[in-house]
Amino acid sequence: ADIAIADGVVTVRWLPDADVGRIVEQAGRLLARGDYATGVPILRGLLAQHPDHPGLLYNLGMALGDRGELADSAALLERLTALRPGDALAWTALGMARARAGQRREAAAAFHRSLELQPDEGHAHRNLGGLLVDDAPEEALAHLRRAAELLPEDQAARYGYGVALWRSGAEAAAEEEFIKAIDLDPLSEVAEQARTARRQIAHRNMRADG
């Protein structure tokens, strides 16, 4: 595809020999850089011609979820799981869309399905653990521990595991995970949450000593 951007308008000219997968990859790179204003229109334009392309459904579904267009996001990812019921990543993506919409039961079911298909799907473990941390802390701890093992460079997984450890009473181990999370990206919002958690642990310990 030949893509031009001028005055805030994205123009896409489809070339006769354009490969859909290549265009989806190109748009995906734009989305990864945070350029939703360019990437999303490209994918929307493709969707009309290729409504059942798995990569297109996945990337556009996730992008719309990031933009808060939750109903459209879930609809695309539902279609993806219908087309590819054995794809664990598709179920993880659908679970994320459901969780964003506050549909906790449906989200948990999607994450469980992902893990049935692929027991080492780290993002399903991470997100399911986050859903369960209040209502089923022991199960959440197991999922978040596994997520931290599978995704050692994932800051959210490290932080989530730290929270689960903290709630279980393992404060020293929780502190270690919070430190690891901070070290991965010291300037992120997750890092600040980890610092706040460390301060809360320290203050509670000071009160206990006093």
Side-chain angles (χ1 to χ4, degrees):
D2 182 22
I3 303 167
I5 307 170
D7 298 326
V9 177
V10 180
T11 302
V12 181
R13 180 170 62 90
W14 307 113
L15 303 179
D17 61 346
D19 176 74
V20 176
R22 190 175 73 244
I23 300 170
V24 171
E25 289 179 6
Q26 184 177 0
R29 287 193 291 271
L30 293 169
L31 297 173
R33 297 201 301 264
D35 189 356
Y36 292 88
T38 307
V40 168
I42 293 171
L43 295 177
R44 284 194 187 277
L46 272 179
L47 185 65
Q49 301 178 47
H50 305 278
D52 293 334
H53 187 281
L56 172 56
L57 292 170
Y58 179 86
N59 282 280
L60 183 55
M62 293 295 286
L64 293 181
D66 291 342
R67 283 160 52 112
E69 300 178 42
L70 302 180
D72 288 344
S73 171
L76 293 174
L77 295 169
E78 285 275 13
R79 187 189 304 173
L80 178 59
T81 56
L83 289 169
R84 304 186 67 172
D87 187 336
L89 295 180
W91 286 101
T92 297
L94 178 59
M96 292 173 67
R98 293 304 190 198
R100 283 170 161 167
Q103 300 169 338
R104 296 172 61 84
R105 181 179 300 177
E106 294 84 352
F111 292 136
H112 278 298
R113 181 57 183 148
S114 176
L115 291 171
E116 288 173 3
L117 294 166
Q118 186 175 327
D120 287 343
E121 213 300 273
H123 292 93
H125 280 292
R126 186 193 70 187
N127 287 285
L128 181 56
L131 276 181
L132 298 174
V133 73
D134 290 324
D135 300 328
E138 292 186 7
E139 185 179 352
L141 179 60
H143 283 295
L144 290 165
R145 178 186 297 114
R146 189 64 181 132
E149 293 170 353
L150 293 166
L151 306 169
E153 303 301 314
D154 186 303
Q155 191 175 41
R158 287 290 183 191
Y159 172 71
Y161 182 34
V163 170
L165 287 167
W166 183 15
R167 294 190 178 191
S168 73
E171 291 187 348
E175 281 239 57
E176 291 181 9
E177 292 302 319
F178 292 143
I179 291 169
K180 291 175 183 176
I182 293 167
D183 288 344
L184 287 171
D185 186 355
L187 301 180
S188 72
E189 182 179 344
V190 174
E192 188 55 39
Q193 292 173 335
R195 291 188 189 97
T196 299
R198 293 193 67 205
R199 287 194 293 269
Q200 290 174 344
I201 291 173
H203 290 164
R204 190 166 69 177
N205 289 338
M206 286 175 63
R207 288 197 302 270
D209 292 341

